[in-house]
Amino acid sequence: MPAKRSPARRPTMKDIAQRAGVSESAVSFALNDRPGVSEITRDRVRRVAEQLGWRPSTAARQLSGEGTATVGLVLARPADTLGVDSFFLQLVSGIQEVLAERHLGLLFQVVEDVDDECAVYRRWWAEHRVDGVLAVDPRTDDPRPGLLDELGLPAVVIGGAPDARHPGLSTVWADDAGAMASVVGRLHELGHRRIVHIAGLPGLAHTERRIRTLRAEAGRRGLAEVRSVTTDYSDAQGAAVTRHVLEGGVLDGGAPPTALVYDNDVMAVAGVAAATELGFSVPGDVSVVAWEDSALCRMVKPWLSALSRDTVEFGRTAAQELTSLLDGGAARAVEVPVPRLIERESTGPCGAGPCGA
């Protein structure tokens, strides 16, 4: 009987590094299309990888029965608000582009709260359902990073500031504080002194950062009539809160605000409609700014001023960081560009009436 031949060993990133004469981190950068290596090195690494027959480790794990070639994404938000939220649609589009290139599947689930989300992670880990996860909507007191660290499940936190307590997790984040400061600064230049921020869900890290920044900027500029009101991101609550604040239910003395800042485009559109129904002119009586720019902001009259960023690229970056972790790369924090204010028809100088001191 001929001797049984041992199965061929699959090439690794270490093999590529040795053959190409570079470090393993350089191989990871080159194969994941990340900055940090020259184009000459990137081309050499790719040629060596092709010569050795290297394939992404997630695919190899799937073939060997050791992995799933699937990553997970759980949303703990009211399900009825997701269908109209352009941010998540664009974010998932960017994520899916990268996953498709790597032949990775996306396991998606919507749950009621963070406790349910943690239970999903535990089940996925125990059942070997996913190779890694993308965690969104970081909380101010968030149990998820500690759990993911404990499970050893590769993860990228989207939207949270870097956390030194969990060095094994990657973070992709934007400077919400800087974006809010730019909005307040511009409204102040236009003469607005009474500003209400119609915020998203309380307890979300980015919601709290925006609220803190609004307060800090108001204090620095001597603005006493500035408030934040939290919502569930829906058009219904956006309209209801708008009516409440314009009817004098939030600011001291019962005066309506002269500027409204909404945490998403859907609430801003609903807010403009509610303001118009009450007889307020936009921007004559009240200026409006939406946090996320989208086609919706250019489908209403007046066109909405909005904070704009490349949300699809945000998703791509997050997915690239996760695939890097799956390939053995080091965790890191990546900051994406600060959202920039695009001024359109919904903002203007404070009107002829009193604008506050």
Side-chain angles (χ1 to χ4, degrees):
M1 294 286 292
K4 185 176 180 180
R5 189 171 64 182
S6 298
R9 185 177 70 86
R10 294 187 178 91
T12 65
M13 295 178 77
K14 184 176 182 180
D15 296 327
I16 298 171
Q18 291 175 343
R19 177 76 67 89
V22 298
S23 67
E24 288 184 54
S25 61
V27 172
S28 177
F29 291 158
L31 295 178
N32 287 290
D33 229 4
R34 287 166 44 187
V37 294
S38 68
E39 287 304 314
I40 294 176
T41 298
R42 194 183 307 277
D43 290 342
R44 182 165 73 251
V45 167
R46 287 174 173 172
R47 284 198 306 271
V48 170
E50 186 175 352
Q51 291 167 2
L52 294 177
W54 178 86
R55 293 294 181 271
S57 61
T58 47
R61 288 200 302 273
Q62 184 190 36
L63 291 173
S64 64
E66 298 172 3
T68 66
T70 302
V71 301
L73 173 63
V74 183
L75 291 183
R77 279 198 183 190
D80 58 356
T81 67
L82 296 177
V84 294
D85 194 328
S86 63
F87 173 81
F88 274 112
L89 296 176
Q90 294 178 63
L91 184 76
V92 172
S93 293
I95 290 169
Q96 188 58 40
E97 280 187 25
V98 173
L99 298 185
E101 291 171 358
R102 295 288 301 267
H103 305 291
L104 292 169
L106 179 64
L107 183 57
F108 178 74
Q109 190 162 340
V110 178
V111 296
E112 287 293 322
D113 53 36
V114 172
D115 289 340
D116 288 343
E117 183 174 345
C118 288
V120 169
Y121 292 148
R122 290 190 183 95
R123 185 173 71 252
W124 283 353
W125 172 80
E127 296 174 356
H128 304 281
R129 296 287 299 277
V130 298
D131 294 324
V133 299
L134 296 156
V136 298
D137 286 342
R139 267 64 175 179
T140 51
D141 186 15
D142 202 329
R144 297 173 300 168
L147 172 64
L148 294 169
D149 241 356
E150 175 189 331
L151 297 176
L153 196 58
V156 174
V157 179
I158 302 174
D163 189 346
R165 295 172 301 174
H166 305 289
L169 306 182
S170 287
T171 303
V172 178
W173 66 292
D175 183 7
D176 290 289
M180 177 61 86
S182 71
V183 171
V184 176
R186 181 55 182 151
L187 291 174
H188 184 266
E189 288 175 357
L190 291 170
H192 296 280
R193 302 295 183 265
R194 296 197 302 273
I195 304 170
V196 171
H197 168 214
I198 300 180
L201 289 167
L204 297 185
H206 67 262
T207 301
E208 298 303 323
R209 283 198 300 270
R210 295 172 190 179
I211 292 173
R212 286 196 305 269
T213 304
L214 179 67
R215 290 173 181 164
E217 288 296 310
R220 190 170 70 84
R221 299 173 187 276
L223 306 179
E225 295 295 300
V226 173
R227 300 286 187 277
S228 292
V229 183
T230 56
T231 69
D232 65 359
Y233 284 112
S234 70
D235 57 331
Q237 285 204 9
V241 171
T242 299
R243 287 190 287 268
H244 181 58
V245 301
L246 290 179
E247 290 172 340
V250 173
L251 298 181
D252 295 338
T258 64
L260 297 170
V261 181
Y262 294 84
D263 264 4
N264 71 9
D265 53 347
V266 173
M267 291 197 299
V269 170
V272 169
T276 302
E277 289 172 2
L278 292 175
F280 286 82
S281 167
V282 178
D285 298 318
V286 60
S287 285
V288 169
V289 177
W291 197 274
E292 297 293 343
D293 192 19
S294 70
L296 189 59
C297 294
R298 303 180 297 280
M299 294 173 66
V300 295
K301 280 293 185 181
W303 281 18
L304 299 183
S305 297
L307 282 157
S308 177
R309 60 178 161 189
D310 190 341
T311 307
V312 174
E313 182 59 29
F314 199 3
R316 290 191 199 103
T317 301
Q320 287 165 354
E321 291 304 312
L322 182 57
T323 57
S324 175
L325 289 177
L326 297 180
D327 288 334
R332 64 177 194 155
V334 178
E335 183 178 1
V336 299
V338 178
R340 61 188 180 89
L341 178 62
I342 297 179
E343 293 189 63
R344 299 193 180 102
E345 299 167 349
S346 68
T347 51
C350 192
C355 292

